[in-house]
Amino acid sequence: MPNQSWISCWFLLSSAITFWDAGYCLMRPRSMEGGDLHWLWKPYTLYGQMDYVYSVESYEKGEGFASAGAVMAVVENLTAYTYLYLVHVANSDLAPLIGYSAAIMTMAKTVVHVGQELFCGLCGIGHNDVSTMISYWVLPKALWFTVSWLIMFSLGKDIYSSLRNSKLKTQ
């Protein structure tokens, strides 16, 4: 298996961020301003004003998009951790497939977040000025999408090579 340490680094870093995000969503209202755990998620006071999906009002209306995304993030992160285990502990040939699966979950979740905004007429972020929207929403989504695509491309090549080599051995 080729050295994919950059993928491991990405999965470790992105999982920490998305677990923190999922924690905010799944611990509401305790994680929100006024809640006893808000100190762990203090930046979400500002982010909830920028992206209404994370806002107090959205939670109070019973909108479930943020929590549904958080559940997907937990599954995505557990898959990424499985990849890390298979690469760094078990040295398993199954690792590229699991890593590819984790990356496709990240990409799919990102596409759903972007699609939600596009199909609702930017209902969650359209109130921002362009600079704020780009800095806090567009660039992070573009980063998650791009890195996921790069991981899928890299691990996809590994999977293809493995299948091709296996086929050549059987001929």
Side-chain angles (χ1 to χ4, degrees), residues 109-127:
K109 187 180 71 184
T110 304
V111 168
V112 168
H113 277 241
V114 172
Q116 162 67 17
E117 282 302 311
L118 293 176
F119 288 114
C120 74
L122 303 179
C123 61
I125 63 167
H127 61 282

Side-chain angles (χ1 to χ4, degrees), residues 71-129:
V71 170
M72 175 104 176
V74 170
V75 174
E76 162 196 337
N77 289 341
L78 292 175
T79 306
Y81 285 155
T82 302
Y83 168 81
L84 293 170
Y85 172 80
L86 292 173
V87 166
H88 299 286
V89 178
N91 196 26
S92 171
D93 291 336
L94 188 58
L97 181 60
I98 300 302
Y100 186 94
S101 299
I104 205 164
M105 281 189 253
T106 303
M107 181 183 277
K109 187 180 71 184
T110 304
V111 168
V112 168
H113 277 241
V114 172
Q116 162 67 17
E117 282 302 311
L118 293 176
F119 288 114
C120 74
L122 303 179
C123 61
I125 63 167
H127 61 282
N128 293 292
D129 61 75

